[in-house]
Amino acid sequence: MPVRTIATASQDVLDRVRAIPEGFVRTYGDLSPGAPRFTGTVLRTTTAEVPWWRVVRADGSLAKGARQRALLEAEGVPFAGARVDLRVARIPRDVEPA
């Protein structure tokens, strides 16, 4: 059985972030089940160009505030107050984007 490395796991997270289509979001936990903070670490430390703004907290709140909200609104992501309306915008964890 192959050994999973941090580099491999990081690349998997980045690939999942790249796969989130415009106008939708996923949560940190969706991208790294059981280890949502790992997703945050990967996004914080990467130099890769990925649509980081499409990743939100489990309650729909934003880690990067107004900057992230502006990017999401430009893509048509719906909000309910200060949070992303996850009932509409979230791609479920068990669904692989095309």
Side-chain angles (χ1 to χ4, degrees):
M1 180 171 228
V3 175
R4 188 172 161 100
T5 66
I6 294 292
T8 302
S10 296
Q11 188 59 53
D12 289 348
V13 167
L14 294 174
D15 290 345
R16 290 183 194 120
V17 172
R18 283 186 191 99
I20 303 169
E22 186 174 321
F24 293 91
V25 299
R26 285 199 134 159
T27 68
Y28 290 92
D30 291 341
L31 300 171
S32 185
R37 289 182 182 183
F38 180 71
T39 298
T41 299
V42 170
L43 290 175
R44 186 179 73 248
T45 59
T46 189
T47 57
E49 293 292 323
V50 296
W52 57 267
W53 59 91
R54 296 179 187 152
V55 182
V56 300
R57 295 179 179 134
D59 65 357
S61 64
L62 307 176
K64 296 294 182 178
R67 179 176 172 212
Q68 186 175 12
R69 183 177 180 123
L71 291 166
L72 291 171
E73 286 179 332
E75 292 186 357
V77 172
F79 280 79
R83 299 170 192 236
V84 170
D85 187 347
L86 294 177
R87 294 170 301 152
V88 178
R90 181 181 185 191
I91 299 172
R93 183 182 340 198
D94 60 342
V95 174
E96 289 298 321

